[in-house]
Amino acid sequence: MPSGKVDRRALSEMPLPVLEREAADSGTQTEAERIIAAIWQEVLQVDRVGRYDNFFDLGGHSLLAARVAELIQEAPGQEFSIIDLFRYPAVSALAGHLTQSPGQQQGLSSALSRAGKQKQALERQRRARSQRGRPNPPKSQA
């Protein structure tokens, strides 16, 4: 606009560019990539993560990066720094970095398993809280 501001209505009418990649390139290839993609899906609340997807392009930020680092660090023998996520923001790059030494892939598997169990526990807690907040149904008088 002449004032230097962005015309948001005009932006909503513009078609979004589509990145063309072969389906094989966007899918995860290794077990480490699948595990990292699953962790990112959980933390970022997205449906699909491909091997070349960038954590920050998917909506990640420093607080979510800390959560990812926490989940990966929980694995026995897994050394991971949040800085690694900034250095290797793509699934394939991070998986390559983490699997440089033997035994790292098993650590990632256990981290994902723990993350799933934590999610289930949180869902049970939420259901229990919502059940407590509901009034008891009136008893029928017969």
Side-chain angles (χ1 to χ4, degrees), residues 26-43:
S26 63
T28 55
Q29 300 294 319
T30 66
E31 182 64 21
E33 288 176 359
R34 284 189 282 277
I35 292 167
I36 291 169
I39 290 172
W40 289 12
Q41 282 177 282
E42 176 66 30
V43 171

Side-chain angles (χ1 to χ4, degrees), residues 11 41 49 74 98:
L11 283 177
Q41 282 177 282
V49 175
E74 287 178 354
L98 291 176

Side-chain angles (χ1 to χ4, degrees), residues 17-80:
V18 177
L19 296 176
E20 298 201 16
R21 287 191 267 182
E22 292 182 20
D25 288 343
S26 63
T28 55
Q29 300 294 319
T30 66
E31 182 64 21
E33 288 176 359
R34 284 189 282 277
I35 292 167
I36 291 169
I39 290 172
W40 289 12
Q41 282 177 282
E42 176 66 30
V43 171
L44 297 171
Q45 299 292 309
V46 294
D47 293 331
R48 190 170 190 286
V49 175
R51 72 184 310 226
Y52 297 114
D53 286 339
N54 183 300
F55 178 78
F56 301 101
D57 291 345
L58 293 173
H61 50 74
S62 59
L63 294 175
L64 293 176
R67 180 67 182 137
V68 168
E70 178 185 341
L71 290 172
I72 293 174
Q73 285 174 341
E74 287 178 354
Q78 182 66 53
E79 292 186 26
F80 182 80

